Amino acid sequence: MKQFAILISFLVLSVSVSAQRIWGNPIGPYPYSPAGANVNDLGEIVATYHRNYASANNAPQGAMLMGSTSLPYDNMGAGFRFDYETGGVLKNVMAEATYVYKINLGSNNKLGLAVSGTYNQTSIDNSALNPQHHYDPFLIYAADGDQWFDVNVGASLYKPNHYYFGLGFYNLVGNSTTWKIQGFDARTARQGVVTGMYTLHTFNGDLNWEATGHLMLYFPQDSTLTPVYDINLRAIVRKVFWLGGGYTNNMVKALGGIYFQNLAVGYACGIGIGDITDYTYLCPRHELMCRLELNTSKKSKNKR
């Protein structure tokens, strides 16, 4: 039973942070703070897909589509994000719309303040059910699922393509579903996120070193802190390809990607360490990413 309990604990952790998760690929700061939208004076559209413990039945998997852009005035920006996650018998959908106001501090340093509204939906994946009794409470009370709204805020200090430091506070309202199932509380947990990035330019910009870090504090209903952290370092060669690695909770990461002008395609593999490696395969996590840069700000249009 020990190996079963360990595996289930990892699956539950993966699903429990699905509304605001750590991504393996370098997808930028927006998923970790609303104020991370449009920080590089470029518009962007990003799509990513992940799958964990693929050999397990109903293993966690999900996808995200997000985008951001400057508004007609470059001191304002906007972003959107859609997340879809499944794990076990649950399906989660989240949609976010974000507004950012930017304050120019001089020398191209900026302060960003942001607010976003989210729509959340949790429902049952009927194809994953295997009820042993016709009166299972999930079948009776949770068949229709439920939805609710919430609010996120964020702040950031940054210089485009050089450094970034951001704070994000998620699910400030903390609404829950109306499901009335004993022992089950479907609620968006409040979360605090600290995120940062620093780029070192070497060899006249032919080789850039990018270090990123994220720390997420997840506040469940018992008010205990469950930290989730992630650090990465990647080498970007002439904006042709990148290679790197990182470390997150109980997992080492390998990163790689390639550029096709303004299009980037990346892959991240999570290599399990610790007790979980005794009961599953070497790379339990796989993630694909595609990012398209768009010249939407006045500055980027002038450069073009």
Side-chain angles (χ1 to χ4, degrees):
M1 292 296 293
K2 178 184 176 182
Q3 56 265 42
F4 177 77
I6 292 174
L7 181 58
I8 290 300
S9 67
F10 275 80
L11 296 180
V12 169
L13 177 62
S14 176
V15 176
S16 64
V17 299
S18 62
Q20 181 60 31
R21 58 174 291 116
I22 297 290
W23 293 90
N25 280 294
I27 57 176
Y30 180 32
Y32 309 108
S33 171
N38 191 233
V39 298
N40 286 327
D41 291 329
L42 288 170
E44 65 174 2
I45 297 176
V46 180
T48 186
Y49 169 82
H50 74 89
R51 186 171 179 86
N52 296 352
Y53 311 101
S55 64
N57 291 333
N58 305 320
Q61 60 179 315
M64 179 182 68
L65 176 66
M66 71 174 186
S68 64
T69 183
S70 296
L71 295 177
Y73 300 98
D74 277 353
N75 65 335
M76 293 185 287
F80 71 88
R81 185 160 63 103
F82 297 99
D83 282 332
Y84 175 77
E85 303 275 345
T86 65
V89 299
L90 295 180
K91 296 188 296 185
N92 299 284
V93 176
M94 189 277 291
E96 178 183 37
T98 301
Y99 170 79
V100 185
Y101 183 76
K102 308 173 188 178
I103 302 172
N104 196 334
L105 303 178
S107 300
N108 211 25
N109 296 285
K110 299 181 180 182
L111 174 67
L113 303 173
V115 62
S116 61
T118 64
Y119 167 81
N120 305 274
Q121 182 185 80
T122 295
S123 59
I124 298 298
D125 184 358
N126 292 322
S127 65
L129 289 176
N130 184 24
Q132 303 301 307
H133 198 282
H134 291 295
Y135 299 103
D136 188 303
F138 266 87
L139 298 178
I140 298 174
Y141 298 106
D144 297 330
D146 202 2
Q147 54 275 325
W148 64 95
F149 296 90
D150 224 308
V151 176
N152 308 326
V153 297
S156 63
L157 178 66
Y158 65 95
K159 184 175 183 178
N161 301 309
H162 285 80
Y163 75 88
Y164 173 88
F165 177 78
L167 300 173
F169 299 95
Y170 286 82
N171 307 321
L172 297 184
V173 178
N175 281 326
S176 64
T177 75
T178 58
W179 288 358
K180 304 300 181 182
I181 302 174
Q182 185 176 1
F184 182 83
D185 185 14
R187 181 184 298 270
T188 50
R190 294 183 177 91
Q191 295 167 321
V193 182
V194 179
T195 180
M197 180 277 291
Y198 180 77
T199 301
L200 177 64
H201 303 277
T202 61
F203 297 100
N204 296 319
D206 288 341
L207 177 61
N208 298 324
W209 300 89
E210 182 187 85
T212 59
H214 315 291
L215 174 65
M216 180 188 302
L217 296 178
Y218 171 74
F219 297 89
Q221 291 307 107
D222 59 6
S223 298
T224 59
L225 297 179
T226 305
V228 181
Y229 54 88
D230 178 89
I231 54 175
N232 299 295
L233 177 65
R234 64 170 178 153
I236 306 170
V237 181
R238 294 186 176 180
K239 204 173 180 181
V240 174
F241 67 92
W242 75 83
L243 293 173
Y247 181 78
T248 186
N249 298 66
N250 298 294
M251 197 170 289
V252 174
K253 298 191 301 181
L255 312 175
I258 189 168
Y259 292 97
F260 303 93
Q261 294 185 345
N262 289 343
L263 178 67
V265 178
Y267 169 75
C269 171
I271 304 170
I273 60 176
D275 290 340
I276 192 66
T277 58
D278 295 333
Y279 314 111
T280 186
Y281 36 75
L282 178 63
C283 296
R285 175 175 169 180
H286 301 274
E287 186 180 299
L288 296 173
M289 181 270 290
C290 183
R291 180 176 184 266
L292 177 65
E293 295 180 349
L294 303 170
N295 296 318
T296 58
S297 70
K298 290 183 180 178
K299 187 173 182 179
S300 64
K301 288 178 180 178
N302 290 337
K303 285 184 178 180
R304 183 180 61 180

